[in-house]
């Protein structure tokens, strides 16, 4: 890997007046913006694990934070900088992102690594595995690393965050961060979000909190975070609330995740080259059931508040063919799992006398549906993919959904 050293500390220290420091910080951002517009490639880079790296010099007493850049809006540029015009995601490099934020060298010793430079819609299971392996390798081989920041596009940020939350087997902080406005845009939110992420990754207070997402000074657990709308402030956490906030002093936590993650996780992706195929379907009034082609997927997650009669028959037929089926509320806020076998026993002890009794009996004789708790359908799909690397037995999968 090539190494680029960016020495910013000396420039800051040789200017004593506060006004000069502020003016220089603004100028450095403008310089990065101008350079990116002139030099950024028009085509999106392909995802690769062969990473270029750079480092930003800082005093040895500071914690070391690795910034892994994947692209996204936070690294996006416009043809007309300083406006609200359209932009191209994934144009600035990791080193350019760090150079655009003043005073980072006062917070941590920074290392940067370019994992990819793409819109986050280009990131899926293949990239999740590669990124999780890279993060695990760094945390295993580099005890001097205090934490890791992953810059990421917001369209798929919550999915990548949850995958890492389940598969990074370390308690050191891993913080995902993005932006809703491009780096060259009017009132870009990326620099302050990146500052908050680095503060958090460098802080001992973030140890043991699982993978975190920070935007707009909020600290949200990867399991609960969701993109609610595409503008600043658009990331929320449903009914469960944020874990804390990022202040000028660093992260302040009031709550912590209680389900399995980090060193307690059973998911080891080190030897995995791929993940089981799990499809995502939507239940809706009048639906006749899923249109599934051969080969059958290993699993299906259905976003549903309740099946139609035709859906019930169709998904039961798939379960009888060995496909694991899980249901999740579209909102992700449901906390009651689907009825267990013990719950349905009372309804099936007597001979069926009505159509509903007959349907209940058919359901009881088929493999059970997997119930989920407070997971969006997209995250339920991720957990089912990981669960299927451990077991294909429905009760074993249900146990995993109850623990993660």
């Amino acid at each position: 890997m090539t190494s680029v050293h960016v020495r910013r500390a000396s420039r800051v220290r040789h200017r004593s007046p506060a006004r000069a420091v502020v003016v220089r910080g603004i100028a450095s951002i403008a310089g990065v913006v101008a350079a990116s517009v002139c030099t950024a490639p028009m085509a999106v880079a392909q995802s690769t694990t062969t990473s270029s790296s750079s480092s930003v010099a800082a005093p040895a007493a500071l914690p070391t934070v690795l910034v892994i850049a994947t692209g996204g809006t936070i690294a996006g540029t416009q043809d007309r900088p300083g406006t609200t015009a359209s932009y191209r995601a994934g144009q600035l490099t990791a080193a350019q992102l760090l150079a655009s934020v003043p005073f980072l060298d006062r917070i941590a010793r920074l290392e940067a690594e370019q994992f990819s430079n793409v819109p986050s819609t280009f990131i899926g299971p293949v990239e999740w595995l590669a990124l999780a392996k890279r993060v695990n390798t760094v945390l295993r081989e580099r005890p001097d690393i205090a934490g890791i920041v992953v810059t990421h596009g917001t369209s798929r940020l919550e999915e990548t965050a949850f995958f890492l939350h389940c598969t990074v087997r370390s308690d050191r902080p891993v913080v995902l961060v993005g932006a809703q406005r491009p780096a060259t845009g009017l009132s870009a939110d990326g620099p302050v979000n990146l500052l908050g992420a680095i503060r958090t990754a460098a802080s001992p207070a973030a140890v043991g909190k699982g993978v975190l997402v920070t935007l707009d000074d909020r600290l949200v657990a990867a399991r609960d975070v969701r993109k609610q709308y595409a503008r600043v402030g658009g990331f929320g956490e449903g009914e469960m609330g944020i874990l804390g906030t990022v202040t000028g002093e660093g992260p302040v936590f009031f709550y912590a995740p209680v389900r399995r993650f980090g060193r307690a996780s059973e998911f080891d992706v080190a030897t995995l080259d791929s993940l089981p195929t799990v499809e995502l379907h939507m239940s809706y009034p009048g639906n006749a059931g899923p249109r599934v082609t051969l080969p059958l997927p290993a699993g299906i997650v259905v976003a549903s508040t309740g099946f139609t009669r035709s859906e019930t028959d169709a998904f039961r037929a798939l379960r009888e063919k060995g496909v694991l089926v899980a249901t999740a509320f579209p909102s992700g806020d449901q906390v009651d799992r689907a009825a267990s076998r013990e719950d349905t026993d009372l309804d099936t002890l007597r001979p069926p006398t009505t159509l509903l009794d007959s349907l209940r009996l058919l359901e009881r004789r088929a493999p059970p549906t997997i119930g989920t708790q407070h997971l969006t359908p997209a995250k339920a799909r991720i957990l089912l993919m990981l669960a299927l690397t451990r077991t294909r037995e429905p009760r074993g999968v249900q146990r995993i959904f109850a623990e993660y």
Side-chain angles (χ1 to χ4, degrees):
M1 297 188 291
T2 60
S3 179
V4 179
H5 297 278
V6 182
R7 299 196 176 274
R8 299 174 57 251
S10 59
R11 293 203 301 266
V12 170
R13 289 168 182 157
H14 290 163
R15 293 282 189 91
S16 55
R19 179 181 178 87
V21 171
V22 173
V23 170
R24 187 181 58 257
I26 296 173
S28 68
I29 296 174
V32 169
V33 167
S36 69
V37 172
C38 295
T39 63
M42 294 293 289
V44 175
Q46 295 298 313
S47 176
T48 175
T49 56
T50 303
S51 309
S52 62
S53 66
S54 62
S55 61
V56 179
L62 294 176
T64 300
V65 172
L66 172 64
V67 177
I68 300 177
T70 69
T73 298
I74 194 171
T77 61
Q78 304 160 298
D79 292 331
R80 292 187 294 152
T83 68
T84 58
S86 61
Y87 64 94
R88 292 183 297 276
Q91 301 296 302
L92 297 182
T93 65
Q96 287 175 310
L97 287 177
L98 294 179
S100 71
V101 185
F103 312 130
L104 287 180
D105 54 324
R106 299 181 182 182
I107 300 170
R109 293 176 55 85
L110 296 177
E111 299 180 13
E113 186 169 296
Q114 196 74 47
F115 175 85
S116 64
N117 214 357
V118 297
S120 65
T121 51
F122 285 35
I123 295 177
V126 172
E127 291 74 26
W128 293 341
L129 280 173
L131 184 57
K133 290 177 182 179
R134 179 60 186 153
V135 170
N136 277 312
T137 297
V138 169
L139 294 177
R140 183 178 64 252
E141 297 179 354
R142 294 283 306 276
D144 60 308
I145 295 284
I148 293 176
V149 170
V150 179
T151 64
H152 201 285
T154 58
S155 293
R156 298 292 183 267
L157 186 148
E158 63 190 84
E159 289 93 337
T160 300
F162 183 56
F163 187 85
L164 294 177
H165 183 71
C166 293
T167 57
V168 171
R169 306 178 82 178
S170 170
D171 289 338
R172 276 179 281 172
V174 176
V175 185
L176 272 77
V177 64
Q180 300 277 35
R181 295 171 180 162
T184 60
L186 184 66
S187 297
D189 55 325
V192 71
N193 288 343
L194 182 57
L195 174 65
I198 291 172
R199 284 189 187 277
T200 301
S203 173
V207 173
K209 301 298 192 300
V211 172
L212 300 166
V213 172
T214 179
L215 290 93
D216 311 307
D217 292 336
R218 300 173 181 173
L219 291 167
V220 189
R223 191 184 192 279
D224 297 322
V225 70
R226 59 194 69 172
K227 185 175 183 178
Q228 297 169 320
Y229 48 83
R231 59 183 186 272
V232 174
F235 273 75
E237 60 288 325
E239 293 185 326
M240 296 304 171
I242 63 176
L243 300 183
T245 61
V246 182
T247 71
E249 302 297 320
V252 177
F253 289 92
F254 298 96
Y255 308 100
V258 297
R259 294 200 171 206
R260 291 178 67 176
F261 64 87
R263 288 189 296 178
S265 175
E266 66 195 271
F267 302 122
D268 184 2
V269 299
T271 60
L272 294 180
D273 295 322
S274 62
L275 293 167
T277 300
V278 175
E279 295 184 0
L280 185 58
H281 289 256
M282 175 67 75
S283 168
Y284 55 88
N287 185 21
R291 295 165 179 80
V292 179
T293 59
L294 295 175
L296 293 176
I300 293 175
V301 172
V302 189
S304 177
T305 56
F307 287 164
T308 67
R309 167 71 186 281
S310 296
E311 288 173 337
T312 299
D313 294 341
F315 285 115
R316 182 176 62 249
L318 286 171
R319 297 192 331 257
E320 289 171 340
K321 293 178 181 178
V323 179
L324 271 74
V325 177
T327 61
F329 260 50
S331 68
D333 287 320
Q334 177 73 355
V335 294
D336 291 332
R337 294 200 305 269
S340 67
R341 283 304 182 84
E342 289 73 21
D343 296 332
T344 58
D345 281 346
L346 295 176
D347 296 322
T348 56
L349 290 175
R350 56 184 171 80
T353 58
T354 66
L355 176 60
L356 183 58
D357 288 341
S358 298
L359 292 175
R360 284 173 171 169
L361 184 59
L362 288 173
E363 281 296 298
R364 185 186 183 281
R365 289 174 175 172
T369 299
I370 307 300
T372 65
Q373 289 183 301
H374 204 264
L375 280 176
T376 62
K379 290 181 181 176
R381 173 178 175 257
I382 290 170
L383 188 53
L384 184 54
M385 295 167 84
L386 288 169
L388 287 166
T389 67
R390 303 290 296 170
T391 179
R392 294 187 62 89
E393 200 277 316
R395 288 186 183 274
V397 172
Q398 186 65 77
R399 187 270 305 168
I400 288 173
F401 270 84
E403 295 179 2
Y404 288 85

